[in-house]
């Protein structure tokens, strides 16, 4: 949220670290739109379903990715990366690692990383008009993974993205679960002092109840009834819950390098979403 695919200070730097760690591997950073400016705007405004369909089409046209890929997503990009696994049927994803991703949604619109970020502040002002109103729900990205624990029926009825990929609508295509269960590895990274994503436990598919009491993923119907296949992945040793020290998206380089070398093959193509 607020980053672009290729900024040398953020995602571009991460891409270079990954390339250094995996010599010879094809590393591709996902961009939404034709320019970096459009990519940044798409992190705040647009329809996530349309964006994911577009990215899927783009990725399927890249010959280097046809033999299978590893996928790494950062912040909301981790949520969208998981949606790609579920929805992009021609993309053979071997491993998925997400960092601080709001997999279970957020009960508060994320704060801006910088107070002078005009686009982020504008997003928050628009979202304040009502996350489930017809315009906001279709055009503000963060509203499309907003989940009010006190208005769950309205969330399921009006949210245009998250209920579908999380099975909350109970009308999820069987392929969504099948594609997640097919992963060799799913790693969910949570930041110990994350105040950007609320609740922070969403990074592990946890959430809060109507009184803001924390709900661990193991205590959700989604996990117990295994709507998404998380329990199957866990019981087969293919799901890891990892906590790293720091605030949201403050990633130590050694931790990043270790994660890449541990979970990704030395020459497998790698995709990044931010």
């Amino acid at each position: 949220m607020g980053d672009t695919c290729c900024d040398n200070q953020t995602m571009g730097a991460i891409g270079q670290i990954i390339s250094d760690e995996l010599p010879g591997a094809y590393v591709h950073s996902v961009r939404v739109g034709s320019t970096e400016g459009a990519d940044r705007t798409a992190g705040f405004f647009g329809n996530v379903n349309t964006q994911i369909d577009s990215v899927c089409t783009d990725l399927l046209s890249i010959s280097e990715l046809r033999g299978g890929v590893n996928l790494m997503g950062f912040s909301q990009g981790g949520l969208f990366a998981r949606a790609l696994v579920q929805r992009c049927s021609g993309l053979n994803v071997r491993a998925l690692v997400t960092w601080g991703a709001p997999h279970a949604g957020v009960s508060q619109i994320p704060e801006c990383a910088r107070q002078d970020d005009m686009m982020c502040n504008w997003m928050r002002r628009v979202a304040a008009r009502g996350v489930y109103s017809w315009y906001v729900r279709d055009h503000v990205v963060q509203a499309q993974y907003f989940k009010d624990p006190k208005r769950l029926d309205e969330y399921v009825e009006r949210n245009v993205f998250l209920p579908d990929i999380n099975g909350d609508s109970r009308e999820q295509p069987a392929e969504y679960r099948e594609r997640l269960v097919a992963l060799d590895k799913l790693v969910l990274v949570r930041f110990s002092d994350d105040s950007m994503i609320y609740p922070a436990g969403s990074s592990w598919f946890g959430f809060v109840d109507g009184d803001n009491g924390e709900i661990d993923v193991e205590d959700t119907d989604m996990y117990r009834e295994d709507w998404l296949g998380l329990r199957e992945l866990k019981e087969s040793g293919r799901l890891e819950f990892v906590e790293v020290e720091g605030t949201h998206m403050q990633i130590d380089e050694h931790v990043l390098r270790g994660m890449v070398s541990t979970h990704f093959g030395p020459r497998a193509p790698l995709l990044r979403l931010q």
Side-chain angles (χ1 to χ4, degrees), residues 7-273:
D7 186 333
N8 289 331
Q9 301 301 313
T10 54
M11 290 300 110
I14 288 175
Q16 186 59 57
I17 290 172
I18 293 171
S19 294
D20 293 344
E21 195 65 29
L22 301 176
Y26 178 81
V27 179
H28 177 78
S29 187
V30 171
R31 184 174 70 188
V32 180
S34 59
T35 66
E36 283 193 48
D39 187 43
R40 186 172 192 277
T41 299
F44 295 108
F45 299 102
N47 186 288
V48 175
N49 296 306
T50 301
Q51 292 178 356
I52 289 173
D53 288 346
S54 176
V55 169
C56 176
T57 299
D58 290 344
L59 296 180
L60 293 179
S61 70
I62 300 174
S63 60
E64 290 87 348
L65 306 181
R66 291 173 187 165
V69 302
N70 295 315
L71 193 57
M72 183 173 283
F74 299 90
S75 194
Q76 66 182 17
L79 173 62
F80 305 153
R82 195 246 301 177
L84 265 177
V85 174
Q86 294 173 276
R87 290 181 173 179
C88 192
S89 61
L91 191 66
N92 176 20
V93 182
R94 301 171 184 171
L96 170 63
V97 176
T98 67
W99 301 79
H103 287 294
V106 295
S107 62
Q108 298 176 6
I109 293 294
E111 298 286 343
C112 300
R114 301 192 322 272
Q115 294 304 311
D116 62 349
D117 188 330
M118 294 179 61
M119 190 173 299
C120 180
N121 287 321
W122 175 242
M123 174 275 293
R124 288 180 55 81
R125 286 195 293 270
V126 174
R129 300 176 182 176
V131 291
Y132 297 141
S133 64
W134 72 268
Y135 181 85
V136 175
R137 70 176 189 179
D138 289 339
H139 295 88
V140 175
V141 167
Q142 289 69 31
Q144 293 164 55
Y145 56 84
F146 181 86
K147 181 179 180 179
D148 187 338
K150 296 182 179 180
R151 302 161 64 190
L152 292 177
D153 289 344
E154 192 173 7
Y155 151 75
V156 171
E157 178 183 355
R158 297 189 179 181
N159 188 298
V160 298
F161 171 66
L162 192 65
D164 176 65
I165 64 165
N166 279 4
D168 294 321
S169 65
R170 301 302 179 93
E171 297 177 355
Q172 184 188 71
E175 291 83 1
Y176 287 10
R177 184 186 188 280
E178 292 169 0
R179 291 169 189 153
L180 280 180
V181 169
L183 289 170
D184 294 332
K185 198 73 177 183
L186 173 60
V187 182
L188 307 175
V189 181
R190 171 180 175 169
F191 295 100
S192 62
D193 299 312
D194 197 334
S195 60
M196 175 75 72
I197 298 298
Y198 185 83
S202 184
S203 297
W204 288 354
F205 282 90
F207 207 62
V208 291
D209 59 25
D211 296 319
N212 282 329
E214 292 189 9
I215 305 172
D216 292 334
V217 61
E218 293 88 351
D219 296 323
T220 64
D221 289 341
M222 177 273 294
Y223 187 85
R224 286 193 296 255
E225 299 174 13
D226 212 16
W227 301 348
L228 303 182
L230 296 183
R231 193 180 69 189
E232 182 174 339
L233 285 167
K234 181 64 175 177
E235 292 174 351
S236 63
R238 291 177 290 141
L239 170 61
E240 289 189 22
F241 298 101
V242 177
E243 183 172 78
V244 298
E245 294 295 323
T247 58
H248 188 74
M249 285 303 299
Q250 297 301 305
I251 303 173
D252 181 87
E253 181 177 330
H254 296 291
V255 174
L256 175 62
R257 289 183 181 275
M259 196 70 69
V260 171
S261 62
T262 299
H263 298 295
F264 296 157
R267 295 189 64 84
L270 189 141
L271 307 179
R272 293 178 297 119
L273 286 89

